[in-house]
Amino acid sequence: MTVMALVLAVSMILCFCSCGSEEPAEEEAGMPNPVHECESADDLTQATGISLDAPEGATDVSYAYLDPAEEGGQQIAQVQFTLDGQEYCYRCQMTDEVSIYGNKDVETNPEALMTELNEQTNTGAQLAGLYCEWSCSATTTVSYCDAICAFNEGKEGFVAWLDVVPGALYSLSVDNGADQSKLEEVAKKCFAPMQGDSDADDE
């Protein structure tokens, strides 16, 4: 009987030890989500310091912010919405960038922009979070801001632009149904300069 009791005691100890080894996995599963939902545009501004909202007429609007990917990085403000049956993701991140173009030759050399996009080095593409092999890309403008656009016709695509004065980088993206003119049109409806409309009115 004593031997049997000893065997049972050892078995129970081993069982407890094996259960204890699973604790790190449970903690890992309970890690906080880097996307934080907000109730309104005002709440989003309060959390991030970034003023961002959906355009007039949008439905199914939701607000959130994303934690920075790197320590010391900037939060990303995000608004998702539906407009004319198309779903969009609108983002903004404060930055010290002085150009939307990583390569100074991009503006006059379309191949340089495509290289940036394919090598995933363009900051606008990184903000949009779309890492694809693009079939179409172009330099453009959103209001008075330099912009780039990349898309696969009828599929995914984005337009990204930089408002240099406050140092705000923006992107507007879709997962399907991409069209350059539509992306540019909706981006202009979305964009509200953080420093007011004075610069845009001078145009």
Side-chain angles (χ1 to χ4, degrees):
M1 291 290 287
T2 306
V3 174
M4 182 63 72
L6 184 60
V7 170
L8 287 172
V10 171
S11 298
M12 290 178 67
I13 291 170
L14 291 173
C15 180
F16 284 131
C17 288
S18 65
C19 290
S21 67
E22 293 179 7
E23 286 181 8
E26 290 174 5
E27 288 176 7
E28 217 171 349
M31 287 177 65
N33 193 319
V35 179
H36 307 277
E37 295 182 2
C38 296
E39 291 294 323
S40 66
D42 287 342
D43 288 344
L44 181 61
T45 301
Q46 187 172 3
T48 63
I50 296 172
S51 178
L52 202 69
D53 207 347
E56 186 176 349
T59 59
D60 301 322
V61 181
S62 63
Y63 304 90
Y65 65 91
L66 289 68
D67 289 334
E70 299 177 359
E71 187 175 349
Q74 297 289 331
Q75 292 173 324
I76 297 173
Q78 173 179 286
V79 181
Q80 293 180 298
F81 62 90
T82 300
L83 186 66
D84 299 328
Q86 177 71 62
E87 295 180 0
Y88 294 90
C89 181
Y90 181 33
R91 290 179 171 178
C92 180
Q93 183 178 39
M94 303 311 292
T95 180
D96 57 3
E97 295 288 336
V98 295
S99 174
I100 190 72
Y101 316 119
N103 182 327
K104 66 180 181 180
D105 296 327
V106 162
E107 198 168 4
T108 56
N109 183 354
E111 290 182 6
L113 175 57
M114 188 64 82
T115 298
E116 274 190 21
L117 294 168
N118 289 339
E119 293 180 354
Q120 301 176 1
T121 58
N122 186 276
T123 56
Q126 291 171 0
L127 177 61
L130 294 176
Y131 302 101
C132 306
E133 288 292 326
W134 301 106
S135 59
C136 306
S137 67
T139 58
T140 183
T141 59
V142 172
S143 186
Y144 55 87
C145 302
D146 287 337
I148 61 167
C149 185
F151 60 98
N152 293 318
E153 191 70 50
K155 297 180 181 178
E156 60 278 306
F158 75 93
V159 58
W161 63 101
L162 178 67
D163 193 359
V164 177
V165 174
L169 180 66
Y170 297 84
S171 72
L172 180 76
S173 62
V174 293
D175 289 333
N176 58 71
D179 172 84
Q180 181 175 347
S181 60
K182 188 66 175 177
L183 281 167
E184 291 174 358
E185 177 189 339
V186 176
K188 288 174 183 177
K189 290 180 179 179
C190 288
F191 180 47
M194 290 189 214
Q195 70 273 29
D197 296 327
S198 56
D199 289 342
D201 290 341
D202 292 339
E203 289 292 307

